[in-house]
Amino acid sequence: DAKTTQPPSMDCAEGRAANLPCNHSTISGNEYVYWYRQIHSQGPQYIIHGLKNNETNEMASLIITEDRKSSTLILPHATLRDTAVYYCIVDGNNRLAFGKGNQVVVIP
Amino acid sequence: GAVVSQHPSRVICKSGTSVKIECRSLDFQATTMFWYRQFPKQSLMLMATSNEGSKATYEQGVEKDKFLINHASLTLSTLTVTSAHPEDSSFYICSARDTGQPQHFGDGTRLSIL
């Protein structure tokens, strides 16, 4: 059963911030939120993960709501190379269950 | 950091052949490695999990005698598809993680069985 809900697709403008939503209303207290992306014909790339605090690294920021039932991945300045399928995954034991993801297309 | 190398990237072989795929963690110790399979236009499906020095744990529906997994060292795991048939054609992807760290993935192996 899918533990997360993402839009199937979205377009983002190049150079703008891209905000990717994810709902995970049944998340358990010990489960992390992971974000990966997969560019066509490649293996998934780790982006970021968090438990309850907001996180930021060189790729993106992760904003988790206080009730932890949803989160947003923010790509601060989208580029054409950010076009990919983005997966939001909730997991407590690092056995990642990939859903269908969000096909993000960055438009010039 | 956290680089996972997978080899070969593409294999084309005849039906009945056995194929070995290697997965290496280049700059960290992989206490756990995972093998996934991805069919066209579908998402990744976990096949098995292996801890170094232990037998792999297979997901339901994955034949352990057909997909042999060896994780003999902290940097290397292999997946052997035995007696491969056309229905085994798929994109096989490995991942590796150190204790307490997220999984990092290889670039996958596209297997085509003729």
Side-chain angles (χ1 to χ4, degrees):
Chain A
D1 290 341
K3 290 187 175 182
T4 65
T5 304
Q6 298 177 257
S9 64
M10 60 188 292
D11 294 339
C12 303
E14 185 182 17
R16 297 286 188 96
N19 297 318
L20 281 56
C22 181
N23 288 325
H24 31 80
S25 58
T26 60
I27 191 170
S28 299
N30 65 339
E31 291 182 318
Y32 285 78
V33 180
Y34 293 89
W35 283 84
Y36 285 81
R37 71 181 182 184
Q38 186 177 25
I39 297 170
H40 183 63
S41 296
Q42 296 182 20
Q45 179 187 22
Y46 167 78
I47 301 174
I48 200 167
H49 75 287
L51 184 62
K52 54 182 179 180
N53 295 326
N54 297 337
E55 302 287 345
T56 296
N57 63 20
E58 64 279 4
M59 288 183 69
S61 294
L62 173 60
I63 308 298
I64 304 174
T65 57
E66 193 169 342
D67 63 8
R68 303 213 315 131
K69 292 184 177 182
S70 65
S71 61
T72 301
L73 179 75
I74 301 173
L75 307 177
H77 303 285
T79 70
L80 300 181
R81 293 181 183 179
D82 292 323
T83 292
V85 178
Y86 286 76
Y87 296 98
C88 168
I89 303 169
V90 163
D91 190 71
N93 59 7
N94 223 259
R95 289 181 69 253
L96 303 177
F98 285 80
K100 295 183 178 180
N102 178 0
Q103 172 65 68
V104 174
V105 177
V106 179
I107 298 173
Chain B
V3 177
V4 176
S5 174
Q6 192 171 335
H7 179 81
S9 59
R10 185 174 183 107
V11 178
I12 302 173
C13 57
K14 294 180 179 179
S15 184
T17 306
S18 292
V19 178
K20 179 183 282 188
I21 303 170
E22 290 189 351
C23 180
R24 295 180 184 273
S25 58
L26 299 187
D27 54 359
F28 67 99
Q29 292 188 330
T31 52
T32 310
M33 284 186 164
F34 305 81
W35 288 95
Y36 295 79
R37 180 167 54 181
Q38 185 175 31
F39 291 106
K41 297 186 178 182
Q42 295 186 23
S43 193
L44 283 77
M45 295 296 294
L46 180 64
M47 298 175 67
T49 303
S50 73
N51 293 300
E52 184 263 340
S54 302
K55 289 184 178 180
T57 301
Y58 290 80
E59 296 298 303
Q60 191 172 9
V62 178
E63 300 175 56
K64 61 182 179 181
D65 294 331
K66 182 167 185 63
F67 299 99
L68 303 179
I69 292 172
N70 183 282
H71 189 172
S73 79
L74 282 172
T75 59
L76 173 65
S77 176
T78 60
L79 168 68
T80 301
V81 184
T82 61
S83 187
H85 292 286
E87 58 267 27
D88 299 321
S89 298
S90 188
F91 190 46
Y92 291 85
I93 311 169
C94 73
S95 71
R97 64 180 286 260
D98 196 357
T99 304
Q101 298 299 313
Q103 291 183 39
H104 293 275
F105 288 79
D107 274 340
T109 297
R110 191 158 301 281
L111 176 62
S112 299
I113 309 298
L114 304 178

